[in-house]
């Protein structure tokens, strides 16, 4: 219905009522099944059906819902057909120079659990790097390397392909799986061991796989595919339902 900021302004203006009363400034928890919410006198119904889209983000596309510099965003790629009337947003982010799997949804509960560090959701990448890493380099990535923002957690690392040559010639294709979400983490990890990333593609995010989806292509995920994933992330816990900003679902308030 509105962005978080617009919704907060709407509540502060007095346009929102809970069972006919103005909610207090500190907010109030509601039960969508029994409480009546109105905006300027009109009833508001909670979203009952979410939409999930897997996108193969092309290079150069910005991971945001709107870009002030008018650059192409991930929502531009899927267009109105992909959005299908839903207020979609990207779950997590991929830099402009990184391609691959990105989930778009309007399910804030799922997005919170996919991106919160406590859930340690895996993110799988295929990197093409300059040179041939040594076995010691690979072991360092597997155990953790010291970046400027701290030691990285152990990662799954496999060398998929190398070209003949010395450590500093040729190229290598490396699979790396991390369970953190630091800024440009994979690139910085590989730079730490002395190998510049030539290309980086995300091929997995939790149980989701990119498969044969072409760059710029997208597919809608059917709800029936989600139960095992929901169970793994404890999505059915009624005492910890949160929106995309980490606020408990059902809380009406400002700030």
């Amino acid at each position: 219905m509105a962005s978080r900021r617009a919704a907060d302004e709407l509540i502060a203006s007095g346009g929102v009522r809970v069972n006919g009363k103005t909610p207090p400034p500190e907010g109030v928890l509601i039960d969508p099944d029994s409480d009546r919410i109105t905006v300027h006198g009109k009833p508001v119904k909670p979203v009952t059906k979410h939409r999930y889209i897997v996108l193969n983000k092309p290079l150069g596309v910005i991971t945001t819902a709107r870009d002030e510099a008018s650059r192409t965003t991930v929502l531009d790629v899927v267009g109105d057909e992909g959005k299908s009337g839903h207020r979609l947003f990207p779950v997590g982010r991929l830099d402009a120079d990184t391609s691959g799997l990105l989930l778009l949804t309007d399910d804030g509960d799922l997005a919170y659990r996919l991106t919160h560090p406590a859930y340690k959701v895996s993110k799988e990448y295929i990197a093409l790097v300059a040179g041939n890493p040594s076995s010691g380099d690979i072991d360092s990535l597997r155990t953790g390397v010291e970046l400027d923002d701290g030691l990285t957690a152990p990662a799954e690392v496999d060398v998929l392909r190398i070209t003949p040559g010395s450590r500093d010639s040729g190229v290598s294709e490396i699979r790396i799986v991390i369970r953190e979400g630091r800024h440009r983490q994979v690139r910085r990890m590989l730079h730490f061991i002395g190998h510049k990333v030539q290309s980086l593609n995300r091929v997995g995010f939790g149980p989701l796989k990119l498969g044969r989806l072409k760059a710029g292509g997208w597919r809608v995920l059917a709800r029936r595919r989600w139960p095992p994933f929901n169970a793994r992330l404890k999505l059915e816990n009624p005492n910890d339902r949160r929106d995309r900003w980490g606020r408990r679902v059902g809380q009406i308030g400002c700030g």
Side-chain angles (χ1 to χ4, degrees), residues 173-243:
E173 188 176 54
I174 297 175
R175 170 185 173 269
I176 181 167
V177 180
I178 62 173
R179 290 175 172 79
E180 299 176 284
R182 306 188 203 180
H183 180 59
R184 298 178 71 84
Q185 180 175 341
V186 173
R187 291 178 184 274
R188 291 191 293 140
M189 290 171 65
L190 292 168
H191 182 266
F192 179 88
I193 63 170
H195 294 275
K196 183 179 180 180
V197 174
Q198 297 182 349
S199 68
L200 186 62
N201 186 46
R202 184 160 73 183
V203 297
F205 187 19
L208 302 176
K209 300 298 180 183
L210 188 61
R212 297 182 180 181
L213 196 61
K214 296 181 179 179
W218 53 271
R219 63 175 181 265
V220 178
L221 294 179
R223 181 66 189 181
R224 64 179 180 273
R225 296 188 57 185
W226 286 97
F229 194 20
N230 291 352
R232 175 182 170 186
L233 296 178
K234 301 179 181 178
L235 290 177
E236 305 307 322
N237 181 353
N239 297 317
D240 189 28
R241 299 180 60 221
R242 299 174 182 265
D243 64 16

Side-chain angles (χ1 to χ4, degrees), residues 19-235:
N19 299 323
K21 299 179 180 179
T22 302
E26 66 272 16
V28 61
L29 290 176
I30 66 165
D31 183 347
D33 294 327
S34 60
D35 292 321
R36 184 173 186 269
I37 313 301
T38 60
V39 176
H40 298 313
K42 296 181 179 180
V44 176
K45 298 292 184 183
V47 175
T48 57
K49 185 177 182 180
H50 294 294
R51 187 167 176 82
Y52 308 91
I53 288 180
V54 169
L55 168 70
N56 185 347
K57 188 190 86 65
L59 291 173
V61 173
I62 308 302
T63 305
T64 185
R66 184 183 296 108
D67 183 65
E68 295 181 355
S70 298
R71 294 172 294 182
T72 302
T73 72
V74 291
L75 292 186
D76 292 330
V77 175
V78 301
D80 290 339
E81 181 184 357
K83 289 181 283 188
S84 188
H86 291 251
R87 190 182 179 86
L88 302 181
F89 55 85
V91 179
R93 63 169 294 152
L94 290 176
D95 295 320
D97 54 355
T98 300
S99 60
L101 193 159
L102 187 71
L103 178 65
L104 306 176
T105 186
D106 55 355
D107 187 342
D109 198 22
L110 177 67
Y112 173 79
R113 283 160 174 77
L114 282 172
T115 56
H116 195 284
Y119 290 93
K120 296 182 172 60
V121 175
S122 64
K123 292 167 278 288
E124 179 182 2
Y125 297 85
I126 301 297
L128 195 66
V129 303
N132 299 152
S134 67
S135 58
D137 292 333
I138 300 302
D139 287 342
S140 295
L141 295 176
R142 287 171 175 165
T143 57
V145 295
E146 189 68 45
L147 303 180
D148 55 6
D149 53 358
L151 183 69
T152 63
E156 297 176 30
V157 185
D158 298 293
V159 177
L160 303 180
R161 178 175 57 88
I162 62 173
T163 59
S166 67
R167 182 184 185 278
D168 300 318
S169 66
V171 294
S172 301
E173 188 176 54
I174 297 175
R175 170 185 173 269
I176 181 167
V177 180
I178 62 173
R179 290 175 172 79
E180 299 176 284
R182 306 188 203 180
H183 180 59
R184 298 178 71 84
Q185 180 175 341
V186 173
R187 291 178 184 274
R188 291 191 293 140
M189 290 171 65
L190 292 168
H191 182 266
F192 179 88
I193 63 170
H195 294 275
K196 183 179 180 180
V197 174
Q198 297 182 349
S199 68
L200 186 62
N201 186 46
R202 184 160 73 183
V203 297
F205 187 19
L208 302 176
K209 300 298 180 183
L210 188 61
R212 297 182 180 181
L213 196 61
K214 296 181 179 179
W218 53 271
R219 63 175 181 265
V220 178
L221 294 179
R223 181 66 189 181
R224 64 179 180 273
R225 296 188 57 185
W226 286 97
F229 194 20
N230 291 352
R232 175 182 170 186
L233 296 178
K234 301 179 181 178
L235 290 177

